[in-house]
């Protein structure tokens, strides 16, 4: 570790990934699905310490959708309840077309995810053709949406570096290391340390540990000066064999750990400053 102490580090940004595209109500009975349920969960997470919500939309039957009108309702419901940075998914669900996936970006949320490459996703393939990735990025730039660069394996950081050199991406960049997807980089401390070592200078990063990796990698990120994503999209358990009651319960735990370690939490406005984003009303 550098001489920087936890108490001097920038404040911790907690992202709550509330719903995702894969988890079902059968697996996690408290999964928020409707716009109102998602908005209630978002408000609870903000009260527990989250500054960003990562949103996926679902149809009434629980199936994943990238329908723009559904996202519009979700965003309006969240904004009516709380101030939080809204980050929409452009990953959607495996098998969706690029045209489907990009739909919510034109709603001009403050942030959107941008997956930086293709990865096996369990028994599926999460396809991200470079040509589509570039279309997604240009749409985000056109609409003033800050991309969060989703990194599932090391080669994706190489792609970011190439795009930086070409001038497609401009600093300051914000990364999310999604570690522990079956087919992607492992959810281990060694993997996180390696990913961090590969980053271009001057960027910010968060970690989304999948399943049992959520808590240990989140804790490590706090110590290393990164940021943390928790929530049902990545992990439905509080501990082994015990389902979490709510997304907010997972946010509250990582918030407690951070404060115990001496690192204060960023409010949404403080997170905007850390990520070099201006406020969007
Ligand atoms: N549902 C995954 C296949 C994102 O939100 O940008 C992709 C995903 C990534 O969730
Ligand atoms: Zn997602």
């Amino acid at each position: 570790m550098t001489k920087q102490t936890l108490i001097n580090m920038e404040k911790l940004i907690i992202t709550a990934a509330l719903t995702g595209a894969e988890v079902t109500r059968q697996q996690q009975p408290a999964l928020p699905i409707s716009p109102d349920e998602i908005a209630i969960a978002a408000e609870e997470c903000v009260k527990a310490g989250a500054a960003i919500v990562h949103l996926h939309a679902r149809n009434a039957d629980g199936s994943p959708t990238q329908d723009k009108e559904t996202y519009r309702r979700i965003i309006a419901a969240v904004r009516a309840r709380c101030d939080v940075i809204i980050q929409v998914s452009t990953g959607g669900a495996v098998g969706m077309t690029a045209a489907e996936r990009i739909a919510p970006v034109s709603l001009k949320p403050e942030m959107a995810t941008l997956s930086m490459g293709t990865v096996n996703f369990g028994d599926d393939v999460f396809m991200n053709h470079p040509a589509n990735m570039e279309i997604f990025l240009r749409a985000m730039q056109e609409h003033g949406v800050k991309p969060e660069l989703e990194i599932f394996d090391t080669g994706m950081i190489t792609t970011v570096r190439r795009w930086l050199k070409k001038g497609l991406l401009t600093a300051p960049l914000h990364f999310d290391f999604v570690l522990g997807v079956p087919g992607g980089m492992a959810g281990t401390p060694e993997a996180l340390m390696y990913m961090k070592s590969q980053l271009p200078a001057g960027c910010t990063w968060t970690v989304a540990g999948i399943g049992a990796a959520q808590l240990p990698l989140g804790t490590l990120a706090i110590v290393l000066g990164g940021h943390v994503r928790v929530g049902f999209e990545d992990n439905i358990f509080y501990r082994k064999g015990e389902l979490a009651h709510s997304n907010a319960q997972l946010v509250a735990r990582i918030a407690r750990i951070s404060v115990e370690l001496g690192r204060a939490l960023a409010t949404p406005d403080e997170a905007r400053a850390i990520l070099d984003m201006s406020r969007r009303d």
Side-chain angles (χ1 to χ4, degrees):
M1 221 172 118
T2 64
K3 284 194 184 124
Q4 191 180 31
T5 61
L6 285 167
I7 210 141
N8 293 330
M9 280 182 184
E10 65 192 4
K11 291 185 176 177
L12 182 80
I13 302 171
I14 300 177
T15 299
L18 302 172
T19 303
E22 291 83 22
V23 176
T24 65
R25 269 275 166 79
Q26 285 68 41
Q27 295 167 316
Q28 172 45 273
L31 184 74
I33 287 178
S34 71
D36 276 350
E37 288 166 354
I38 292 173
I40 290 166
E43 186 180 22
E44 289 171 356
C45 287
V46 170
K47 284 185 178 150
I52 302 177
V53 284
H54 170 70
L55 300 179
H56 283 252
R58 300 287 184 104
N59 295 308
D61 67 1
S63 57
T65 177
Q66 289 291 100
D67 175 58
K68 184 172 162 179
E69 293 314 310
T70 310
Y71 270 98
R72 194 196 300 279
R73 285 198 291 279
I74 295 169
I75 292 170
V78 172
R79 286 201 175 130
R81 284 185 172 270
C82 54
D83 176 35
V84 65
I85 298 172
I86 290 180
Q87 178 193 89
V88 300
S89 171
T90 66
V94 162
M96 287 178 174
T97 64
E100 281 178 277
R101 285 169 53 182
I102 195 66
V105 171
S106 62
L107 295 169
K108 302 186 192 301
E110 285 180 277
M111 292 182 91
T113 52
L114 177 60
S115 292
M116 289 308 301
T118 295
V119 63
N120 284 353
F121 205 85
D123 295 329
D124 293 308
V125 181
F126 180 38
M127 277 294 300
N128 290 289
H129 192 288
N132 287 334
M133 288 155 45
E134 195 172 326
I135 291 169
F136 285 17
L137 175 61
R138 289 191 192 283
M140 289 178 207
Q141 289 167 341
E142 180 194 336
H143 292 292
V145 176
K146 169 115 180 170
E148 179 182 86
L149 307 172
E150 307 298 301
I151 305 292
F152 295 80
D153 217 329
T154 48
M156 299 186 193
I157 301 182
T158 317
T159 302
V160 172
R161 286 180 171 281
R162 274 207 340 268
W163 281 23
L164 261 176
K165 223 173 177 177
K166 281 204 301 193
L168 260 177
L169 280 167
T170 42
L173 303 177
H174 180 60
F175 289 80
D176 178 25
F177 301 134
V178 186
L179 301 183
V181 169
M185 192 97 168
T188 61
E190 291 81 4
L192 179 57
M193 299 290 286
Y194 181 72
M195 291 297 211
K196 179 180 181 293
S197 76
Q198 296 303 298
L199 287 176
C203 47
T204 50
W205 60 276
T206 191
V207 69
I210 303 300
Q214 186 169 88
L215 181 58
L217 292 190
T219 305
L220 182 57
I222 294 168
V223 177
L224 292 175
H227 302 280
V228 182
R229 174 170 123 173
V230 295
F232 289 166
E233 172 164 347
D234 305 326
N235 166 45
I236 57 175
F237 291 99
Y238 191 75
R239 58 172 71 87
K240 191 172 165 58
E242 183 184 323
L243 286 172
H245 301 307
S246 63
N247 279 290
Q249 190 190 18
L250 298 171
V251 171
R253 175 169 59 182
I254 207 73
R256 273 197 312 275
I257 292 170
S258 189
V259 172
E260 284 290 331
L261 287 169
R263 201 163 159 206
L265 307 178
T267 64
D269 269 342
E270 289 168 338
R272 288 178 181 104
I274 292 167
L275 300 176
D276 197 36
M277 294 161 53
S278 49
R279 194 190 168 104
R280 167 92 47 81
D281 290 311

